[in-house]
Coordinates of all heavy atoms in Angstrom, one line a residue:
Q265 N -9.9 -35.8 -8.4 CA -11.2 -36.2 -7.9 C -11.5 -35.6 -6.5 O -12.6 -35.7 -6.0 CB -11.3 -37.7 -7.8 CG -11.2 -38.4 -9.2 CD -12.3 -38.0 -10.2 OE1 -13.3 -37.5 -9.8 NE2 -12.0 -38.3 -11.5
E266 N -10.5 -35.0 -5.9 CA -10.6 -34.6 -4.5 C -11.1 -33.1 -4.4 O -10.8 -32.3 -5.3 CB -9.3 -34.6 -3.7 CG -8.7 -36.0 -3.7 CD -7.3 -36.1 -3.1 OE1 -7.0 -35.1 -2.3 OE2 -6.5 -37.0 -3.4
E267 N -11.9 -32.8 -3.4 CA -12.3 -31.4 -3.2 C -11.2 -30.7 -2.4 O -10.5 -31.2 -1.6 CB -13.6 -31.4 -2.3 CG -14.8 -32.0 -3.1 CD -16.1 -31.9 -2.2 OE1 -16.0 -32.1 -1.0 OE2 -17.2 -31.6 -2.8
I268 N -11.0 -29.4 -2.8 CA -10.0 -28.6 -2.2 C -10.6 -27.3 -1.7 O -11.7 -26.9 -2.2 CB -8.8 -28.4 -3.1 CG1 -9.3 -27.6 -4.4 CG2 -8.1 -29.7 -3.5 CD1 -8.1 -27.2 -5.3
V269 N -9.9 -26.6 -0.8 CA -10.2 -25.2 -0.4 C -9.0 -24.4 -0.9 O -7.8 -24.7 -0.5 CB -10.4 -25.1 1.1 CG1 -10.5 -23.6 1.5 CG2 -11.7 -25.9 1.5
M270 N -9.2 -23.4 -1.6 CA -8.1 -22.5 -2.1 C -8.4 -21.1 -1.5 O -9.5 -20.5 -1.7 CB -8.0 -22.4 -3.6 CG -7.6 -23.7 -4.2 SD -7.4 -23.6 -6.0 CE -5.9 -22.5 -6.1
W271 N -7.4 -20.5 -0.9 CA -7.5 -19.1 -0.4 C -6.1 -18.6 -0.3 O -5.2 -19.2 0.3 CB -8.2 -19.1 1.0 CG -8.3 -17.7 1.5 CD1 -9.3 -16.7 1.2 CD2 -7.4 -17.1 2.4 NE1 -9.0 -15.6 1.8 CE2 -7.9 -15.7 2.6 CE3 -6.3 -17.5 3.1 CZ2 -7.3 -14.8 3.5 CZ3 -5.7 -16.6 4.0 CH2 -6.2 -15.3 4.2
W272 N -5.9 -17.4 -0.8 CA -4.6 -16.7 -0.8 C -3.6 -17.6 -1.4 O -3.7 -18.0 -2.6 CB -4.2 -16.2 0.6 CG -3.1 -15.2 0.6 CD1 -2.9 -14.2 -0.3 CD2 -2.0 -15.2 1.5 NE1 -1.7 -13.5 0.0 CE2 -1.2 -14.1 1.1 CE3 -1.7 -15.9 2.7 CZ2 0.0 -13.7 1.9 CZ3 -0.5 -15.5 3.4 CH2 0.3 -14.4 3.0
N273 N -2.6 -18.1 -0.7 CA -1.5 -18.9 -1.3 C -1.6 -20.4 -0.7 O -0.7 -21.1 -0.8 CB -0.2 -18.4 -0.9 CG 0.0 -17.0 -1.5 OD1 -0.2 -16.7 -2.6 ND2 0.4 -16.0 -0.6
F274 N -2.8 -20.7 -0.2 CA -3.0 -22.0 0.4 C -3.9 -22.9 -0.3 O -4.9 -22.5 -0.9 CB -3.6 -21.8 1.8 CG -2.7 -20.9 2.7 CD1 -3.3 -20.1 3.6 CD2 -1.3 -21.0 2.7 CE1 -2.6 -19.2 4.5 CE2 -0.6 -20.2 3.6 CZ -1.2 -19.3 4.4
V275 N -3.6 -24.2 -0.4 CA -4.5 -25.2 -0.9 C -4.7 -26.2 0.3 O -3.8 -27.0 0.6 CB -3.9 -26.0 -2.1 CG1 -4.9 -27.1 -2.5 CG2 -3.8 -25.0 -3.3
G276 N -5.9 -26.3 0.8 CA -6.2 -27.2 1.9 C -7.4 -28.0 1.6 O -7.8 -28.1 0.4
R277 N -7.9 -28.7 2.6 CA -9.1 -29.5 2.4 C -10.3 -29.0 3.2 O -11.4 -29.4 2.9 CB -8.8 -31.0 2.8 CG -7.8 -31.7 2.0 CD -8.3 -31.8 0.5 NE -7.4 -32.6 -0.3 CZ -6.3 -32.2 -0.9 NH1 -5.9 -30.9 -0.7 NH2 -5.6 -33.0 -1.7
T278 N -10.1 -28.2 4.2 CA -11.1 -27.6 5.0 C -10.9 -26.1 5.2 O -9.7 -25.7 5.1 CB -11.3 -28.3 6.3 OG1 -10.1 -28.1 7.1 CG2 -11.5 -29.8 6.1
H279 N -11.9 -25.4 5.7 CA -11.8 -24.0 6.1 C -10.7 -24.0 7.3 O -9.9 -23.1 7.3 CB -13.1 -23.5 6.6 CG -13.1 -22.2 7.2 ND1 -13.2 -21.0 6.4 CD2 -13.0 -21.8 8.5 CE1 -13.2 -20.0 7.2 NE2 -13.1 -20.4 8.5
E280 N -10.8 -24.9 8.1 CA -9.9 -24.9 9.3 C -8.4 -25.1 8.9 O -7.6 -24.5 9.6 CB -10.3 -26.0 10.3 CG -11.7 -25.8 11.0 CD -12.9 -25.9 10.1 OE1 -12.8 -26.7 9.1 OE2 -13.9 -25.3 10.4
D281 N -8.2 -25.9 7.9 CA -6.8 -26.0 7.4 C -6.2 -24.6 7.0 O -5.1 -24.3 7.4 CB -6.8 -26.8 6.1 CG -6.9 -28.3 6.3 OD1 -6.8 -28.7 7.5 OD2 -7.2 -29.0 5.3
V282 N -7.0 -23.8 6.4 CA -6.6 -22.5 6.0 C -6.4 -21.5 7.2 O -5.5 -20.8 7.3 CB -7.6 -21.9 4.9 CG1 -7.3 -20.4 4.7 CG2 -7.5 -22.7 3.6
V283 N -7.4 -21.6 8.1 CA -7.3 -20.8 9.3 C -6.0 -21.0 10.1 O -5.3 -20.1 10.5 CB -8.5 -21.0 10.2 CG1 -8.4 -20.3 11.5 CG2 -9.8 -20.5 9.5
R284 N -5.7 -22.3 10.2 CA -4.5 -22.7 11.0 C -3.2 -22.2 10.2 O -2.3 -21.7 10.8 CB -4.4 -24.2 11.2 CG -5.3 -24.7 12.3 CD -5.0 -26.1 12.6 NE -5.2 -27.0 11.5 CZ -6.4 -27.7 11.3 NH1 -7.4 -27.4 12.1 NH2 -6.5 -28.5 10.3
A285 N -3.2 -22.4 8.9 CA -2.0 -22.0 8.1 C -1.9 -20.5 8.2 O -0.7 -20.0 8.4 CB -2.2 -22.4 6.7
R286 N -3.0 -19.7 8.1 CA -2.9 -18.3 8.2 C -2.3 -17.8 9.6 O -1.4 -17.0 9.7 CB -4.2 -17.6 8.0 CG -4.2 -16.1 8.0 CD -5.6 -15.5 8.0 NE -5.5 -14.0 8.0 CZ -5.3 -13.3 9.1 NH1 -5.2 -13.9 10.3 NH2 -5.2 -12.0 9.0
E287 N -2.8 -18.5 10.7 CA -2.3 -18.1 12.0 C -0.9 -18.5 12.1 O -0.1 -17.7 12.7 CB -3.2 -18.9 13.0 CG -4.6 -18.4 13.2 CD -5.4 -19.3 14.1 OE1 -4.9 -20.3 14.5 OE2 -6.6 -18.9 14.4
D288 N -0.5 -19.6 11.6 CA 1.0 -20.0 11.7 C 1.9 -19.0 11.0 O 3.0 -18.7 11.4 CB 1.2 -21.4 11.1 CG 0.6 -22.5 12.0 OD1 0.4 -22.2 13.2 OD2 0.4 -23.6 11.6
W289 N 1.4 -18.5 9.8 CA 2.2 -17.5 9.1 C 2.3 -16.2 9.9 O 3.3 -15.5 10.0 CB 1.6 -17.3 7.7 CG 2.3 -16.2 6.9 CD1 1.8 -15.0 6.6 CD2 3.6 -16.2 6.4 NE1 2.7 -14.3 5.9 CE2 3.9 -15.0 5.8 CE3 4.6 -17.2 6.4 CZ2 5.1 -14.7 5.1 CZ3 5.9 -16.9 5.8 CH2 6.1 -15.7 5.2
Q290 N 1.1 -15.7 10.4 CA 1.1 -14.4 11.1 C 2.0 -14.4 12.4 O 2.5 -13.4 12.7 CB -0.4 -14.1 11.5 CG -1.2 -13.8 10.3 CD -0.8 -12.5 9.6 OE1 0.0 -12.6 8.6 NE2 -1.3 -11.4 9.9
I291 N 2.1 -15.6 13.0 CA 3.0 -15.6 14.2 C 4.4 -16.0 13.9 O 5.2 -16.3 14.8 CB 2.4 -16.5 15.3 CG1 2.4 -18.0 14.8 CG2 1.0 -16.1 15.7 CD1 2.0 -19.0 15.9
A292 N 4.7 -16.1 12.6 CA 6.1 -16.5 12.1 C 6.5 -17.9 12.7 O 7.6 -18.1 13.1 CB 7.1 -15.4 12.5
S293 N 5.5 -18.8 12.6 CA 5.8 -20.2 13.0 C 6.9 -20.8 12.2 O 7.1 -20.5 11.0 CB 4.5 -21.0 12.9 OG 4.8 -22.4 12.9
E294 N 7.6 -21.7 12.8 CA 8.7 -22.5 12.1 C 8.1 -23.4 11.0 O 8.8 -23.9 10.2 CB 9.5 -23.3 13.0 CG 10.5 -22.5 13.8 CD 11.4 -21.7 12.9 OE1 12.0 -22.3 11.9 OE2 11.6 -20.5 13.1
R295 N 6.7 -23.5 11.0 CA 6.1 -24.3 9.9 C 6.5 -23.8 8.5 O 6.7 -24.7 7.6 CB 4.6 -24.2 10.1 CG 3.8 -24.8 8.9 CD 2.3 -24.7 9.2 NE 1.6 -25.5 8.1 CZ 0.3 -25.7 8.1 NH1 -0.5 -25.1 9.1 NH2 -0.3 -26.3 7.2
F296 N 6.7 -22.5 8.3 CA 7.0 -22.0 7.0 C 8.5 -21.6 6.9 O 9.0 -21.2 5.8 CB 6.2 -20.8 6.7 CG 4.7 -21.1 6.6 CD1 3.9 -20.8 7.7 CD2 4.2 -21.8 5.5 CE1 2.5 -21.1 7.6 CE2 2.9 -22.1 5.4 CZ 2.0 -21.7 6.5
G297 N 9.3 -21.7 8.0 CA 10.7 -21.4 7.9 C 10.9 -19.9 7.6 O 10.0 -19.1 7.7
R298 N 12.1 -19.6 7.2 CA 12.5 -18.2 6.9 C 13.2 -18.1 5.6 O 14.0 -18.9 5.3 CB 13.4 -17.6 8.1 CG 12.7 -17.6 9.4 CD 13.6 -17.0 10.5 NE 12.9 -17.1 11.8 CZ 12.0 -16.3 12.3 NH1 11.6 -15.3 11.5 NH2 11.5 -16.5 13.5
V299 N 13.0 -17.0 4.9 CA 13.6 -16.7 3.6 C 14.8 -15.8 3.9 O 14.6 -14.7 4.4 CB 12.7 -16.1 2.6 CG1 13.4 -15.8 1.3 CG2 11.5 -17.1 2.3
E300 N 16.0 -16.3 3.7 CA 17.2 -15.4 3.9 C 17.6 -14.7 2.6 O 17.5 -15.3 1.6 CB 18.3 -16.3 4.4 CG 18.0 -17.1 5.7 CD 17.9 -16.2 6.9 OE1 18.3 -15.1 6.9 OE2 17.3 -16.7 7.9
G301 N 18.0 -13.5 2.8 CA 18.6 -12.7 1.7 C 17.6 -11.8 1.0 O 18.1 -11.0 0.1
Y302 N 16.3 -11.8 1.3 CA 15.4 -10.9 0.7 C 15.5 -9.5 1.4 O 15.5 -9.5 2.7 CB 14.0 -11.4 0.8 CG 12.9 -10.4 0.2 CD1 12.7 -10.3 -1.2 CD2 12.2 -9.6 1.0 CE1 11.8 -9.4 -1.7 CE2 11.3 -8.7 0.5 CZ 11.1 -8.6 -0.8 OH 10.2 -7.7 -1.4
D303 N 15.6 -8.4 0.7 CA 15.7 -7.1 1.2 C 14.3 -6.5 1.4 O 13.8 -5.8 0.6 CB 16.5 -6.2 0.3 CG 16.8 -4.8 0.9 OD1 16.6 -4.7 2.1 OD2 17.2 -3.9 0.1
G304 N 13.7 -6.8 2.6 CA 12.4 -6.2 2.9 C 11.6 -7.1 3.8 O 12.1 -8.2 4.3
E305 N 10.4 -6.7 4.2 CA 9.6 -7.4 5.1 C 8.8 -8.5 4.3 O 8.6 -8.4 3.1 CB 8.6 -6.5 5.8 CG 9.3 -5.4 6.6 CD 10.1 -5.9 7.7 OE1 9.6 -6.9 8.4 OE2 11.2 -5.4 8.0
R306 N 8.3 -9.5 5.1 CA 7.5 -10.5 4.5 C 6.1 -10.0 4.3 O 5.7 -9.0 4.9 CB 7.4 -11.8 5.3 CG 7.8 -11.7 6.7 CD 7.6 -13.0 7.5 NE 6.4 -12.9 8.3 CZ 5.8 -13.9 8.8 NH1 6.2 -15.1 8.5 NH2 4.7 -13.7 9.6
L307 N 5.3 -10.7 3.4 CA 3.9 -10.2 3.2 C 3.0 -10.7 4.3 O 3.0 -11.9 4.7 CB 3.4 -10.9 1.9 CG 3.8 -10.2 0.6 CD1 3.1 -11.0 -0.6 CD2 3.3 -8.8 0.5
P308 N 2.2 -9.8 4.9 CA 1.2 -10.2 5.8 C 0.1 -10.9 5.1 O -0.2 -10.6 4.0 CB 0.8 -8.9 6.5 CG 1.0 -7.9 5.4 CD 2.2 -8.3 4.6
A309 N -0.6 -11.8 5.8 CA -1.7 -12.5 5.3 C -2.9 -11.5 5.3 O -3.1 -10.7 6.2 CB -2.1 -13.7 6.1
P310 N -3.8 -11.5 4.2 CA -5.0 -10.7 4.2 C -6.0 -11.3 5.3 O -5.8 -12.4 5.8 CB -5.5 -10.9 2.8 CG -4.9 -12.2 2.3 CD -3.6 -12.3 3.0
A311 N -7.0 -10.5 5.6 CA -8.0 -10.9 6.5 C -8.9 -12.0 5.8 O -9.1 -12.0 4.6 CB -8.9 -9.7 6.9
L312 N -9.3 -13.0 6.6 CA -10.2 -14.0 6.1 C -11.5 -13.4 5.8 O -12.0 -12.5 6.6 CB -10.2 -15.2 7.1 CG -9.1 -16.1 7.1 CD1 -9.1 -16.9 8.4 CD2 -9.2 -17.1 5.9
P313 N -12.3 -14.0 4.9 CA -13.6 -13.5 4.7 C -14.5 -13.9 5.9 O -14.2 -14.9 6.6 CB -14.1 -14.3 3.4 CG -13.2 -15.4 3.3 CD -11.9 -15.0 3.9
N314 N -15.6 -13.2 6.1 CA -16.5 -13.4 7.2 C -17.5 -14.5 6.8 O -18.7 -14.3 6.8 CB -17.2 -12.2 7.6 CG -18.0 -12.3 8.8 OD1 -17.7 -13.2 9.7 ND2 -19.1 -11.6 9.0
A315 N -17.0 -15.7 6.3 CA -17.8 -16.8 5.9 C -16.9 -18.0 5.8 O -15.6 -17.9 5.7 CB -18.4 -16.5 4.5
T316 N -17.5 -19.2 5.9 CA -16.7 -20.4 5.7 C -16.3 -20.6 4.3 O -17.1 -20.4 3.3 CB -17.6 -21.6 6.1 OG1 -18.0 -21.5 7.5 CG2 -16.8 -22.9 5.9

Side-chain angles (χ1 to χ4, degrees):
Q265 302 294 344
E266 301 174 24
E267 293 181 322
I268 62 175
V269 173
M270 294 186 68
W271 180 82
W272 195 38
N273 301 308
F274 303 142
V275 175
R277 292 302 185 277
T278 66
H279 174 88
E280 290 71 27
D281 286 345
V282 169
V283 171
R284 283 193 296 271
R286 182 187 182 278
E287 289 175 351
D288 287 344
W289 176 248
Q290 290 297 88
I291 65 173
S293 162
E294 283 304 310
R295 175 178 184 176
F296 297 104
R298 299 182 186 278
V299 177
E300 302 293 342
Y302 177 81
D303 185 16
E305 300 296 320
R306 20 176 255 160
L307 279 180
L312 282 160
N314 189 26
T316 299

